[in-house]
Amino acid sequence: MPYAPATARLTVDLDALAANYRLLVGQSGRAEVAPVVKADGYGMGAAPVARRLWAEGARTFFTARVAGGEHLREFLGPDRPATIYVLDGCPDAQAARLHAADLIPVLSSVAQAAAWQAYSRGIGVLPAALHVDTGMNRLGVRPEELEAMALSPDRLAGLDVRMVMSHLACGGEPGNPMNRRQRDRFAEAAALFPNARASLANSGGSFLGDDYLFDLTRPGVTLYGGGPEERFDPRVKAVATLEAEILQVRAVPPGETVGYGGGWAATRPTRAATVGIGYADGVLRANSPNGSVWFAGAERPLLGRVSMDLMTVDVTGCDDARPGERVELFGAQLPVDTAAARAGTIAYELLTRIGPRVERRYLGAVE
Ligand SMILES: *Cc1c(COP(=O)(O)O)cnc(C)c1O
């Protein structure tokens, strides 16, 4: 039996990705812009994303997991000898895998540093980055631990420390005093390793001013169309457009309800479009009460609950609503930051949750 075509599709605009990369390059002074392509390139497909960014001039990339780094190395191939950092560092027993794929761990604890160092003994000097925590309390050695490493170099014997990095907890909030505190702590910590490159800024940090840029920035979400302050920013181009087809349009008389639980009741004659996308495709069920889509020139509210494969949209007064037409969940018309705010979340979550049933297509050259 032939498969029915997917009713939901994600369009990834690689030219928009390239424009966002150039925006970040323009913003970053002399710092190198090193794209973060974790979580399969924020759901956009790490392979086409990284190849296009390489073609635009990116030479250093970050992944979260070791496996993400291995995949990246494989699809960049021998002709694109990128520097690839793994933010998870050197988890238990992963040293050989890191080494085999020529990945550089971002070491985030004294134990990880010891493990990578122990592995280096049979091999020779290995490259490494050090993550120092400056206030987020998520990953990284404490500043005093970093100082102890710097002061007793045999703790790092066998390692070539290429980079010292930290991560901002509030980079998307320019007015938050935490940024300045983290920046100052980081500047002190990075000075302990004058031969290593220093890196602090994510997307938000890239827009906080020159003294946040250091040698290398690590933007993620703004490459993929999210504003650096977690809200729509007209300088950033939409990269992802998520659409789904209308399967049916029906009249709902006053007093009747829509969807599971009967949680929404019509108070006037309503036209409801049933759309072929649901929480199995990454649309948040929690989105139901405030969610909306873009259709025929306007934002249109959801009716009732999002279900596994379907959701229902209010198209009252809209004659264009017919089976086969597509509604936009976010993208070129409805910014991903706006859709995320309606759903009570952030663009990162909407982008990375898009499920495997959604058909992917790419606009613009991959390389
Ligand atoms: C995810 C991540 C980034 C990228 O952050 P964005 O806010 O998406 O720009 C940078 N650095 C680290 C350590 C990260 O975990």
Side-chain angles (χ1 to χ4, degrees):
M1 216 170 66
Y3 287 109
T7 75
R9 81 175 178 206
L10 171 70
T11 304
V12 179
D13 183 344
L14 295 171
D15 291 336
L17 172 83
N20 293 339
Y21 172 73
R22 289 192 294 269
L23 169 72
L24 286 156
V25 168
Q27 195 64 36
S28 301
R30 282 190 312 212
E32 179 183 354
V33 175
V36 177
V37 296
K38 61 193 180 189
D40 198 26
Y42 286 49
M44 301 298 101
V49 160
R51 288 161 79 139
R52 179 60 187 263
L53 290 172
W54 174 276
E56 296 296 323
R59 293 294 177 268
T60 303
F61 296 86
F62 287 84
T63 67
R65 306 275 111 88
V66 177
E70 289 171 332
H71 291 143
L72 187 61
R73 177 66 71 210
E74 191 180 316
F75 47 65
L76 285 174
D79 296 340
R80 300 182 197 82
T83 301
I84 302 174
Y85 287 101
V86 174
L87 292 166
D88 277 356
C90 183
D92 269 351
Q94 302 296 301
R97 282 175 67 185
L98 287 160
H99 181 237
D102 191 16
L103 307 174
I104 306 181
V106 180
L107 304 170
S108 56
S109 67
V110 172
Q112 280 198 350
W116 191 231
Q117 192 191 24
Y119 183 78
S120 78
R121 273 183 208 121
I123 289 169
V125 175
L126 287 176
L130 297 176
H131 189 158
V132 56
D133 182 79
T134 51
M136 189 169 183
N137 281 301
R138 192 178 65 167
L139 282 181
V141 299
R142 296 193 59 86
E144 56 274 19
E145 291 174 319
L146 190 78
E147 196 174 349
M149 286 176 171
L151 295 180
S152 56
D154 30 307
R155 294 197 195 203
L156 296 170
L159 303 187
D160 171 19
V161 178
R162 302 248 180 109
M163 186 181 65
V164 176
M165 61 156 272
S166 191
H167 193 43
L168 294 169
C170 310
E173 301 168 39
N176 196 315
M178 178 102 177
N179 290 322
R180 173 61 43 192
R181 281 202 299 277
Q182 285 198 271
R183 196 221 81 96
D184 292 347
R185 273 185 209 161
F186 179 66
E188 240 176 73
L192 296 166
F193 291 86
N195 297 323
R197 301 171 84 197
S199 175
L200 178 64
N202 64 339
S203 298
S206 302
F207 292 81
L208 291 178
D210 291 352
D211 51 347
Y212 285 80
L213 298 172
F214 294 92
D215 299 311
L216 187 139
T217 63
R218 308 183 311 271
V221 78
T222 292
L223 288 168
Y224 308 105
E229 295 181 27
E230 294 179 11
R231 58 164 188 251
F232 173 66
D233 183 325
R235 293 171 295 181
V236 181
K237 292 208 157 42
V239 172
T241 298
L242 180 63
E243 299 167 296
E245 258 176 48
I246 296 175
L247 303 179
Q248 280 195 357
V249 179
R250 55 202 302 124
V252 184
E256 294 197 10
T257 64
V258 172
Y260 283 122
W264 184 88
T267 54
R268 55 177 169 79
T270 300
R271 263 162 58 83
T274 305
V275 175
I277 193 167
Y279 58 75
D281 304 299
V283 181
L284 303 184
R285 184 174 176 278
N287 180 5
S288 307
N290 302 311
S292 60
V293 301
W294 188 269
F295 181 71
E299 216 175 314
R300 318 226 172 230
L302 303 194
L303 299 176
R305 295 249 168 85
V306 172
S307 51
M308 188 181 291
D309 318 303
L310 301 167
M311 63 184 203
T312 308
V313 175
D314 187 348
V315 292
T316 306
C318 174
D319 295 334
D320 299 333
R322 275 179 231 107
E325 296 291 324
R326 289 172 193 280
V327 307
E328 179 182 305
L329 285 92
F330 56 77
Q333 309 292 329
L334 183 62
V336 64
D337 287 297
T338 308
R342 302 265 192 280
T345 185
I346 51 178
Y348 304 68
E349 191 179 15
L350 293 192
L351 294 172
T352 56
R353 274 177 179 265
I354 300 166
R357 277 198 313 208
V358 177
E359 176 195 336
R360 263 81 174 162
R361 62 175 195 146
Y362 290 88
L363 303 181
V366 173
E367 54 210 314

